[in-house]
Amino acid sequence: MGDAHTERRSAGELGASVLAVLWAAGAPLTPGQVQEALGSSHARTTVTTVLSRLYEKGVVTRTRSGRGFAYLPTEDASGLTARRMHAELAGTEDRVTVLSRFVSQLSNEDEALLRALLEEGGTGSAA
């Protein structure tokens, strides 16, 4: 069981690394280009699988490039984090408790920022 957990964690880390490569490129990349940018020993098929899963989750888009695809993130890192936070919140029945615990664990600075954002309607100009 421990080995499977480690593999899952590695896959998540690889997904994060793949996204970092795509964000840094700022242009669509093929799996081979991502593999090269990673400078790692991951097989191209592994990188292709990670990109396909990110595509299925709506995290990246893809366009035809030769016989395969080139991939581009659908949003920046902040947008992806916000999407994950929404998904976690949507997956719970006790939203009050989850939000309450989240807010109670904020630093004073983050709490002040959140209050300012809420007062401004979430435009993000409080920063």
Side-chain angles (χ1 to χ4, degrees), residues 17-28:
S17 296
V18 165
L19 281 171
V21 166
L22 292 173
W23 285 320

Side-chain angles (χ1 to χ4, degrees), residues 1 21 25 27 35 41 70 81 89 94 102 109 123-124:
M1 184 171 150
V21 166
Q35 179 194 27
S41 59
T81 300
L89 190 57
D94 192 359
F102 174 76
E109 294 81 14
T123 61

Side-chain angles (χ1 to χ4, degrees), residues 76-122:
D76 63 11
S78 297
L80 182 58
T81 300
R83 179 199 296 213
R84 288 179 179 154
M85 291 169 67
H86 279 283
E88 288 295 324
L89 190 57
T92 184
E93 294 180 20
D94 192 359
R95 296 168 63 95
V96 172
T97 301
V98 172
L99 286 170
S100 175
R101 289 186 183 169
F102 174 76
V103 170
S104 72
Q105 295 175 10
L106 292 174
S107 68
N108 291 338
E109 294 81 14
D110 285 345
E111 184 178 343
L113 177 58
L114 183 57
R115 286 183 190 280
L117 288 170
L118 289 169
E119 289 171 7
E120 295 172 7

